[in-house]
């Protein structure tokens, strides 16, 4: 896998575009400049890797739009050493950004083929994440609690398990809505039974499928 000067130049241009769209967290920007997004896409689509667009990967799923990755990651306020749960590994791109930022990452994927591909790829690239095959709408009880949780598929409601598995002071970022459009929710757990929910912009994710989902 080669990351050419041309790739690096295109990546820099894409990140400049994201800063113009309002992304300003320096740690997010540094990680996105570093991780070659084209490694997570089929080689046929390599020329599209540095456009601010979502793209089809295998199994009818998508690699999120770079703006969406930046927006969600920025909301998470990742600190080095944070224990983070990602739901929807997909290509592994979002996972690699989180690991690059110093997160101790557990990432869950329900689709076996995507799980296998991402596990191999993350390992090959040296991104040390724990990949799990399963239904992330139930969280990951044996690894809980988490400092941060990010859901990269659209949910009909906020799954209760995810709030339960969050530490007090932790943040959950999740798109909630119907199957075509969802609003980004940022949920901060204030105490054991109390949380604050901020509802932000519209996004369009593939559906979260599972017991506490579609
Ligand atoms: N974060 C990914 C984007 C993945 S798209 C990336 O950077 O490429 C959403 C992914 O969520 C899909 O791969 C889909 O299979 C997965 N998914 C949907 N419902 C799920 C569930 N209940 N548990 C785990 N993964 C789920």
């Amino acid at each position: 896998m080669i990351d050419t000067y041309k790739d690096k130049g295109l990546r820099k241009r894409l990140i400049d575009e994201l800063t113009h769209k309002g992304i300003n967290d320096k740690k997010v920007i540094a990680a996105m400049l570093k991780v070659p997004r084209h490694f997570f896409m089929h080689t046929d689509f390599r020329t599209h890797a540095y456009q601010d667009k979502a793209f089809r990967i295998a199994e009818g799923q998508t690699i999120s739009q770079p703006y969406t990755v930046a927006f969600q990651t920025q909301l998470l306020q990742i600190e080095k050493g944070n224990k983070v749960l990602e739901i929807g590994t997909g290509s592994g791109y979002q996972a690699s950004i989180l690991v690059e930022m110093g997160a101790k990452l557990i990432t869950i994927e329900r689709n076996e083929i995507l799980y296998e591909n991402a596990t191999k790829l993350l390992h090959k690239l040296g991104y040390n994440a724990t990949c799990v095959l399963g239904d992330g709408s139930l969280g990951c009880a044996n690894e809980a609690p988490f400092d941060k949780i990010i859901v990269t598929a659209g949910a009909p409601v906020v799954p209760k398990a995810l709030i339960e598995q969050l530490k007090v002071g932790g943040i959950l970022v999740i798109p909630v809505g119907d199957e075509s459009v969802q609003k980004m929710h940022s949920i901060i757990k204030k105490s054991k039974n109390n949380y604050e929910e901020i509802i932000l912009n519209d996004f369009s994710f593939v559906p979260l499928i599972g017991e506490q989902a579609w």
Side-chain angles (χ1 to χ4, degrees):
M1 286 184 155
I2 304 165
D3 189 27
T4 64
Y5 281 112
K6 187 176 173 206
D7 294 318
K8 289 189 173 82
L10 292 173
R11 193 150 71 242
K12 170 81 173 69
R13 209 155 73 187
L14 168 67
I15 308 308
D16 286 346
E17 196 182 322
L18 301 183
T19 58
H20 284 119
K21 291 181 180 171
I23 301 303
N24 54 22
D25 182 320
K26 291 200 170 60
K27 289 192 266 185
V28 174
I29 291 168
M32 291 188 71
L33 275 173
K34 210 156 169 197
V35 178
R37 186 172 184 250
H38 65 277
F39 286 0
F40 297 85
M41 290 167 64
H42 193 278
T43 45
D44 290 354
F45 302 132
R46 184 184 176 128
T47 54
H48 300 279
Y50 298 107
Q51 295 175 4
D52 190 19
K53 287 184 184 152
F55 234 86
R56 286 274 159 204
I57 52 172
E59 301 293 295
Q61 302 301 319
T62 54
I63 177 170
S64 300
Q65 185 182 338
Y67 177 75
T68 306
V69 172
F71 190 86
Q72 288 198 285
T73 311
Q74 186 164 283
L75 285 172
L76 284 176
Q77 300 172 34
I78 299 291
E79 300 289 340
K80 249 197 188 104
N82 272 177
K83 190 166 186 185
V84 181
L85 175 66
E86 179 195 23
I87 294 153
T89 315
S91 68
Y93 176 65
Q94 170 76 71
S96 69
I97 299 287
L98 293 167
V99 174
E100 189 63 57
M101 291 175 76
K104 283 192 211 135
L105 184 71
I106 290 100
T107 178
I108 308 191
E109 172 57 55
R110 69 182 286 274
N111 179 290
E112 200 169 344
I113 292 170
L114 295 178
Y115 157 78
E116 274 171 12
N117 289 346
T119 306
K120 279 190 213 135
L121 182 57
L122 289 169
H123 181 76
K124 185 169 163 191
L125 299 175
Y127 288 117
N128 190 8
T130 303
C131 296
V132 178
L133 176 65
D135 176 7
S137 76
L138 303 173
C140 188
N142 57 340
E143 292 279 0
F146 300 98
D147 295 295
K148 313 281 161 71
I149 301 179
I150 172 173
V151 182
T152 66
V157 291
V158 179
K160 274 201 188 70
L162 301 188
I163 295 180
E164 278 162 19
Q165 291 177 22
L166 204 56
K167 286 184 192 168
V168 171
I171 302 174
L172 163 63
V173 174
I174 177 169
V176 182
D178 60 29
E179 274 162 289
S180 60
V181 61
Q182 305 90 30
K183 287 200 181 293
M184 195 63 73
H185 289 225
S186 172
I187 297 171
I188 302 163
K189 188 160 170 175
K190 295 283 185 191
S191 66
K192 194 169 179 297
N193 297 309
N194 180 19
Y195 59 87
E196 180 188 313
E197 190 162 12
I198 305 165
I199 301 174
L200 299 144
N201 316 13
D202 285 352
F203 288 87
S204 183
F205 284 82
V206 295
L208 181 75
I209 297 164
E211 217 168 288
Q212 288 191 33
W214 291 108

